[in-house]
Amino acid sequence: FLARRGMNSGQGGADHNQGIQYAFDGTCHSYFRYVSPDEFFDTHPEYFSEINGKRTRIETQLCLTNPEVLDIVTERVLKRMKEYPHFNQHNFSQMDWYSVCTCEKCRAMNAKYKTDGGTQYWFVNELAKRTSKVFPDKLIGTLAYMYTEEPPVGLEMHPNTAVWLCHMFPCCDSHPIATCPLNADFKRRAQAWSKICKHLYAWHYIVNFAHYYNPFPNFRAMMADFKFYNELGFEGVYAQAMGAGGGGGEFSLLRGYLASELLKDPHRDGQKIINDFIEGYYGPAAGPIGEYITMLHDKVEKENIHMHLYTNPAQGYLGDDVLKKADVLFDKAEIAVKDDPELLERIRVARMPLAYARWFPRNGYRIEDSKIIFNKPLGTPADAYKFAQRMKSHGFRTVRERGGDPNQLVMLSALVNMPMPLVTLENEHIRVDVLPFFGGRALRIIDRKSGKCATAYNTTKNLFFPFHGGEDSRIGGIFTFDKCGVMEPAVVVSKSDNSVTLKSKIGLGFELQRTITLAADRPAVTIRLDTINPSEKPRLAQMRSHMSLDLGDVEKTQIHFTSLSGKKFDVDMNTVIPGLREGRRFYKSDCPNGSWTFKGTDGLEVVQRFDNKQVDFTWLYAFPADLDELEVELWAKPVEIPPGESAVLQHELELRAK
């Protein structure tokens, strides 16, 4: 069936039952296939990223200006080219995190080519020059992804290289690349890449990675975007859908059918392709199913609602009125096939995203009587259980890209369906509301006189809502979100009038203790994190404080501090927002000397104080900027914690009303 659909990519060689498949030797995140920290870091740390003046092993990349790295990679790629003759493209691209090397040579090369991907593109060019002398028909593929999306200036790609440009968040998936303002940067990059790269591919995400079952009306944009790629001369498109086996997700069969047909000929009438599928797959129910699809697409198109690959159900196109109309259409669909059990189950599977959208707290929450109460309507734990059972009966195994156990839906549904108690601390100046259930975060820090809150909370469009808001503690790198302490519930172990201590166990295997204490006579709160290693072996930990500030118009927020070198920094958001996911970091002598101040437009300012002996670097970002939130992080120095012992990160927040 896959061969008939033209979907025969894989690893199969001449002995495969379909014959030689259209095969790539990897498609992404392949640095460590050739030079891994496990093999080389202990003896050659210089092969890996220098961050903050140190070679790092955790979430590292390669130092691509090191000539020995190029020699090793060349030798190993040539070996694979010889061993696997049916591969026509061998991938060499960054790992799935940031941490670009900042050694002097790498910084100079990236500055020369005006992109943090400069070293990668220079490297793959040099690699292709070497490998093409032995295998002139083989390509070296690489990613234009996150910090390497921007094309190099003054560097044309070698004819034996292939670049895969990723349509990554915050790109919009509900409107075409050619016309949507949120896609303007991507459009510019695609046009620039088409001029300097002979073999150009698009890596186009066609599902919602954070919520596989979230209704995701992107079909019309897909139709336009595949034409865009074709007309710009792209050689191919990788339409990435669900990464895990088992199937499921919102209209996954229709989405795959549409994508494969458009890849054959992007100039076909996409609506006819959709009609062909729903008529063949849903039979007499095709009419109301088609009306439902049209309704959602009209909603995001006409009301200019932007979706991205991590959009949650609170993005704005799944209001109660829309879900009510959707129910009417699915009721009609079920009635139309009520005498055909197989078709009826297909309709009920297609209806699962409506249940998913209702389970998610789309309408946010309110705070009453020191409790968070999520606003109705809201699906029940029984609904979530029924959803999970239907998944199980079909062999569907996951609900999102990372940590997607469907049984979690039942537990989370139970949480959001009950009032969540807050622990409130207050003195004459400020009030702090602490939420134990979501990591023990200090959710709200409020100036009592004005009633204004300095921290962001209840931001339903935030990627991580409802696990979002205020100040929280995290362990590990930026890609350990579901195990780092943000989602795990904490338990209150002690409380006084001005202090609370909470404990939690996190997925990374540490025990966390957060102690939040109000100053007696100042508008200040101290937050202390004790990270305990309960294992029988020493373990490396990097502690972080993450804070979401809402001080008014984020574009006009200002940050002031004196650095460790004595330099005065007056930072405005024009140097933070353009950094997108990476924002702006302050390392070494540029790190604030013990404190920094955040001033907004709503009359509040926040001072954060800390011990520089504990802190490795500080980080600011506002991504996406339309949330009007400034994200502030302190990263502690990595520390090895002996068995049964602990490490500490402590800081103070002072709230001032101007």
Side-chain angles (χ1 to χ4, degrees), residues 27-264:
T27 55
C28 61
H29 313 317
S30 56
Y31 279 2
F32 293 175
R33 165 180 280 180
Y34 301 104
V35 180
S36 74
D38 288 345
E39 181 180 2
F40 286 107
F41 190 86
D42 290 343
T43 55
H44 291 282
E46 71 275 12
Y47 291 176
F48 302 92
S49 290
E50 180 181 302
I51 305 292
N52 200 8
K54 301 175 184 177
R55 298 291 174 172
T56 182
R57 181 171 191 155
I58 300 174
E59 287 188 1
T60 190
Q61 305 286 357
L62 297 182
C63 180
L64 296 173
T65 57
N66 187 311
E68 293 179 19
V69 173
L70 180 58
D71 289 341
I72 294 168
V73 173
T74 301
E75 178 185 355
R76 295 183 175 187
V77 170
L78 285 170
K79 184 174 184 290
R80 292 188 69 84
M81 287 180 170
K82 182 178 180 180
E83 291 177 349
Y84 302 100
H86 66 291
F87 289 140
N88 59 13
Q89 189 175 138
H90 297 259
N91 183 268
F92 183 80
S93 58
Q94 77 260 41
M95 306 308 294
D96 195 7
W97 43 72
Y98 305 114
S99 303
V100 61
C101 183
T102 58
C103 76
E104 184 177 353
K105 290 183 178 179
C106 286
R107 280 190 289 110
M109 184 174 290
N110 287 334
K112 175 182 178 181
Y113 294 124
K114 296 180 171 55
T115 170
D116 280 347
T119 51
Q120 178 167 282
Y121 299 123
W122 172 85
F123 188 99
V124 296
N125 264 6
E126 295 300 310
L127 181 59
K129 288 177 187 177
R130 297 182 178 193
T131 58
S132 63
K133 293 177 182 178
V134 184
F135 296 99
D137 59 335
K138 305 291 186 184
L139 302 181
I140 302 296
T142 196
L143 289 185
Y145 172 71
M146 295 198 301
Y147 68 84
T148 64
E149 290 170 21
E150 196 67 35
V153 176
L155 180 68
E156 188 166 330
M157 300 307 296
H158 188 277
N160 283 57
T161 62
V163 172
W164 298 43
L165 175 61
C166 300
H167 187 256
M168 184 70 180
F169 175 69
C171 292
C172 176
D173 288 305
S174 48
H175 304 102
I177 292 168
T179 57
C180 181
L182 270 65
N183 286 320
D185 272 344
F186 181 86
K187 178 182 177 181
R188 174 186 57 79
R189 292 182 185 119
Q191 291 170 332
W193 274 114
S194 71
K195 295 174 182 177
I196 64 171
C197 183
K198 180 180 178 181
H199 302 286
L200 185 58
Y201 292 74
W203 189 306
H204 196 94
Y205 307 93
I206 64 171
V207 298
N208 185 327
F209 273 41
H211 303 273
Y212 284 154
Y213 285 90
N214 187 33
F216 198 62
N218 67 335
F219 296 155
R220 292 178 187 170
M222 283 173 58
M223 298 171 198
D225 293 345
F226 283 29
K227 284 182 186 177
F228 171 83
Y229 294 133
N230 178 261
E231 292 170 356
L232 203 56
F234 278 61
E235 191 167 283
V237 177
Y238 174 33
Q240 186 179 7
M242 291 175 63
E250 192 249 5
F251 281 132
S252 59
L253 300 181
L254 169 56
R255 187 169 275 106
Y257 185 86
L258 176 63
S260 62
E261 289 295 302
L262 292 175
L263 287 172
K264 294 176 185 177

Side-chain angles (χ1 to χ4, degrees), residues 11 170 211 247 325 362 373 442 467 491 514 585 612 626:
Q11 306 297 307
H211 303 273
K325 292 176 183 177
R362 293 170 295 116
I373 303 171
F467 300 97
V491 176
R514 277 170 59 86
R585 302 188 185 196
N612 284 101
D626 60 8

Side-chain angles (χ1 to χ4, degrees), residues 559 576 582-584 586 596 598 618-621 630-632:
I559 303 96
V576 176
E582 292 190 86
R584 186 171 177 183
F586 300 91
W596 50 358
F598 307 91
T618 61
W619 185 18
L620 301 174
Y621 53 99
L630 174 61
E631 311 297 327
V632 180

Side-chain angles (χ1 to χ4, degrees), residues 210 212-213 244 356 359 384 387-389 391-392 396-413 482 487:
Y212 284 154
Y213 285 90
Y356 187 91
W359 160 81
F387 183 99
Q389 289 301 108
M391 287 186 66
K392 183 178 180 180
F396 304 157
R397 298 197 297 269
T398 186
V399 296
R400 60 180 178 270
E401 182 187 18
R402 296 175 185 269
D405 181 354
N407 293 320
Q408 292 177 346
L409 295 181
V410 182
M411 294 184 287
L412 293 175
S413 180
D482 58 327
M487 298 178 69

